[in-house]
Amino acid sequence: MLKVKMDGLMKVLQFPRVHGIYEVDPRDGLGSLKVYCDIKTNGGGWTVFQWRRNGSEIFYCILLEYQQGFGELNGELWLGINAIHRLTVDVSLRNDMMSPDNSKAYAKYDEFSIANAKSKNFIYFGRYSETACDALKVYKGMKFSTHDQDNDTYSKNCAVEFRGAWWYVNCYDSNLNGEYTCGRSGQHLDVWEHFQGTKPLQKVEMKLK
């Protein structure tokens, strides 16, 4: 189980009482990480690794940036594939989404992991539940693609065609790292199929515990 360092003491992750930035130790011998913890949603104890809410951060990035992470822990964020890989040991996944009309839905998976860079960061997840429909199911075992690293099965590069980075197949049912298009006209690229159709999302949080 992850531990959180607060006031010089190591405490179990579910003990924090307020949302915020904490230091966690995955206990893999590689040192601690700073992460943003959600202590309110569904019992709390969630580590947020992707956060989008206003389009202030550009997510059309190269693989190295996705591996190392970018953004701000208390703002728009991609924590980094390397960090997510270290944290995904016996964890579940939850994706919380909000549409422009403030409708909310979420998708939850009882198992979740991302492989290391040597394995091209393929994704694994378990059983789906809850309200947003399962727009991840086609991606199980797929490798992560960016505009400079094409690992999909499409004749072109899905990351280039849809301006994002994801575990694309041919090409997507979800594209949560796609270009933020909420409030803009044109093609909607930050989507989760079957929740509000293909309308853009206003907010997204991907988190694990």
Side-chain angles (χ1 to χ4, degrees), residues 98-115:
M98 179 186 289
S99 67
D101 64 2
N102 295 325
S103 297
K104 297 180 180 179
Y106 70 97
K108 190 176 179 182
Y109 298 84
D110 63 358
E111 297 176 75
F112 172 59
S113 64
I114 296 176

Side-chain angles (χ1 to χ4, degrees), residues 183-198:
R184 306 175 193 170
S185 60
Q187 189 175 23
H188 296 148
L189 302 176
D190 53 328
V191 300
W192 183 275
E193 293 277 4
H194 313 301
F195 171 53
Q196 301 292 303
T198 56

Side-chain angles (χ1 to χ4, degrees), residues 45-209:
W46 296 96
T47 298
V48 178
F49 67 87
Q50 191 254 34
W51 197 354
R52 309 190 74 183
R53 51 186 174 178
N54 56 25
S56 60
E57 189 69 36
I58 301 299
F59 275 64
Y60 191 55
C61 297
I62 63 174
L63 179 62
L64 181 61
E65 293 172 294
Y66 266 97
Q67 289 174 335
Q68 296 179 341
F70 52 86
E72 301 293 334
L73 288 172
N74 57 358
E76 292 214 322
L77 168 72
W78 176 260
L79 185 61
I81 291 176
N82 294 340
I84 300 167
H85 167 66
R86 293 180 60 198
L87 294 170
T88 53
V89 177
D90 192 25
V91 298
S92 57
L93 169 69
R94 179 180 171 116
N95 297 339
D96 281 285
M97 293 161 278
M98 179 186 289
S99 67
D101 64 2
N102 295 325
S103 297
K104 297 180 180 179
Y106 70 97
K108 190 176 179 182
Y109 298 84
D110 63 358
E111 297 176 75
F112 172 59
S113 64
I114 296 176
N116 60 24
K118 185 177 180 180
S119 300
K120 297 192 176 181
N121 311 120
F122 71 81
I123 188 172
Y124 174 80
F125 45 87
R127 292 178 301 171
Y128 159 83
S129 61
E130 309 315 331
T131 63
C133 295
D134 186 358
L136 270 187
K137 60 183 177 182
V138 300
Y139 302 116
K140 186 178 290 186
M142 288 303 297
K143 299 171 183 176
F144 195 75
S145 287
T146 56
H147 63 79
D148 68 326
Q149 182 68 244
D150 184 3
N151 293 314
D152 61 53
T153 62
Y154 187 46
S155 59
K156 300 179 181 179
N157 185 338
C158 292
V160 173
E161 291 286 299
F162 298 101
R163 297 191 60 80
W166 201 243
W167 295 271
Y168 298 112
V169 185
N170 186 32
C171 271
Y172 69 84
D173 287 348
S174 57
N175 192 32
L176 298 186
N177 290 333
E179 184 177 358
Y180 188 87
T181 55
C182 184
R184 306 175 193 170
S185 60
Q187 189 175 23
H188 296 148
L189 302 176
D190 53 328
V191 300
W192 183 275
E193 293 277 4
H194 313 301
F195 171 53
Q196 301 292 303
T198 56
K199 294 180 181 178
L201 296 170
Q202 179 179 338
K203 295 182 180 180
V204 181
E205 288 183 33
M206 300 180 72
K207 43 200 167 188
L208 56 88
K209 78 170 180 178

